[in-house]
Amino acid sequence: MKTPTITTRVSRDLGTAINRGIYQPGTKLPGERLLAESLHVSRSTVRMALEDLERQGRVARSPQRGWFVPSPTVGEPPSTLESFTEMARQRGHTPTAQVLEKTVRSATLDEANRLGVAPGEDVLELVRLRGMNSTPICVDRNVLPLTLAHALLDVDLTDASLYESLQTQCGVSIYRSAYSVQAEGATSEHAALLRVAQGSPVLVGREIAYDRPGSPVLLGLNTYRGDAYRFHADLYRAD
């Protein structure tokens, strides 16, 4: 006879295995029969434990795939501007950032026009791989006028919030962002970084971020795994 104590123990053990990375986000769990054998309990006990984890949002099930560990997701609340770091922290995840490129170069004509700087003016280009709980989520490419972001040249931006670093190191606060999202297929480069198949759906966010007076601060190009990002918006009918 199954008791709540056994089910709770199995649920806790499976949750611990997920926390330790034995079962990675986005991967399928072993079948219920195999789990029951490895945990020395009945299959029905395993199913009840999995259903408990499902209510907690730790696992999900599909009629075709069985049980799997869902990938963590991020997404701004409607009409609220948040950095990747803020979104991750508020959802109880640990944000990470690996610096892939950090270079000074001349602005293109398009970048100069959108940033409101002279053509050919120096800009800082920063490319980072953003993640949550060691799972890659986004390739984040930002371009900033060097006159604003010069202090960041000597700052280690590994696992750091760019918004916070701009405020603390450069005295620049981002107040508003013009943001658009479009679905695309993952390039070979992005597929390798995000650990998805080439051509898999990704969501590409393009933004121009502004300070409170309305001056452009940065251009952003954010490529998210399609299963890891949700965009929310408040929509109103015109009068």
Side-chain angles (χ1 to χ4, degrees), residues 167-219:
Q167 186 168 13
T168 59
Q169 303 295 327
C170 307
V172 176
S173 297
I174 292 178
Y175 176 70
R176 179 176 68 87
S177 174
Y179 199 82
S180 65
V181 181
Q182 180 176 339
E184 297 183 7
T187 64
S188 58
E189 177 187 5
H190 287 155
L193 290 170
L194 296 173
R195 301 179 195 168
V196 298
Q198 183 175 349
S200 295
V202 292
L203 289 175
V204 179
R206 294 174 172 84
E207 73 168 323
I208 305 178
Y210 301 85
D211 61 15
R212 187 175 288 273
S215 299
V217 173
L218 67 81
L219 304 177

Side-chain angles (χ1 to χ4, degrees), residues 1-15 39-56:
M1 181 175 181
K2 288 77 178 179
T3 68
T5 302
I6 297 175
T7 302
T8 300
R9 175 178 62 80
V10 172
S11 176
R12 183 181 63 247
D13 290 348
L14 289 173
L39 294 168
H40 306 292
V41 295
S42 69
R43 186 170 175 177
S44 59
T45 296
V46 166
R47 185 177 297 113
M48 285 191 293
L50 289 170
E51 289 172 348
D52 179 53
L53 290 171
E54 182 182 31
R55 287 189 290 270
Q56 300 174 36

Side-chain angles (χ1 to χ4, degrees), residues 49-93:
L50 289 170
E51 289 172 348
D52 179 53
L53 290 171
E54 182 182 31
R55 287 189 290 270
Q56 300 174 36
R58 304 296 309 283
V59 301
R61 57 179 157 181
S62 165
Q64 291 77 31
R65 297 176 57 192
W67 294 93
F68 63 96
V69 182
S71 298
T73 59
V74 293
E76 298 93 339
S79 304
T80 301
L81 176 60
E82 290 182 336
S83 69
F84 181 97
T85 299
E86 291 168 335
M87 287 189 287
R89 287 174 179 168
Q90 289 187 15
R91 288 155 182 79
H93 301 300

Side-chain angles (χ1 to χ4, degrees), residues 44-184:
S44 59
T45 296
V46 166
R47 185 177 297 113
M48 285 191 293
L50 289 170
E51 289 172 348
D52 179 53
L53 290 171
E54 182 182 31
R55 287 189 290 270
Q56 300 174 36
R58 304 296 309 283
V59 301
R61 57 179 157 181
S62 165
Q64 291 77 31
R65 297 176 57 192
W67 294 93
F68 63 96
V69 182
S71 298
T73 59
V74 293
E76 298 93 339
S79 304
T80 301
L81 176 60
E82 290 182 336
S83 69
F84 181 97
T85 299
E86 291 168 335
M87 287 189 287
R89 287 174 179 168
Q90 289 187 15
R91 288 155 182 79
H93 301 300
T94 301
T96 60
Q98 175 188 352
V99 178
L100 304 178
E101 296 179 34
K102 188 180 183 183
T103 57
V104 175
R105 59 171 176 80
S106 298
T108 66
L109 288 175
D110 178 64
E111 290 168 345
N113 181 58
R114 290 190 290 162
L115 287 171
V117 299
E121 184 171 321
D122 284 345
V123 293
L124 172 64
E125 182 172 16
L126 176 66
V127 183
R128 296 188 298 170
L129 178 62
R130 308 305 309 273
M132 291 192 300
N133 310 330
S134 300
T135 300
I137 298 293
C138 173
V139 179
D140 196 6
R141 182 182 297 271
N142 292 282
V143 177
L144 309 92
L146 191 61
T147 53
L148 292 179
H150 192 276
L152 297 183
L153 291 177
D154 300 320
V155 175
D156 183 5
L157 294 172
T158 302
D159 296 340
S161 165
L162 181 57
Y163 279 24
E164 292 175 2
S165 297
L166 278 170
Q167 186 168 13
T168 59
Q169 303 295 327
C170 307
V172 176
S173 297
I174 292 178
Y175 176 70
R176 179 176 68 87
S177 174
Y179 199 82
S180 65
V181 181
Q182 180 176 339
E184 297 183 7

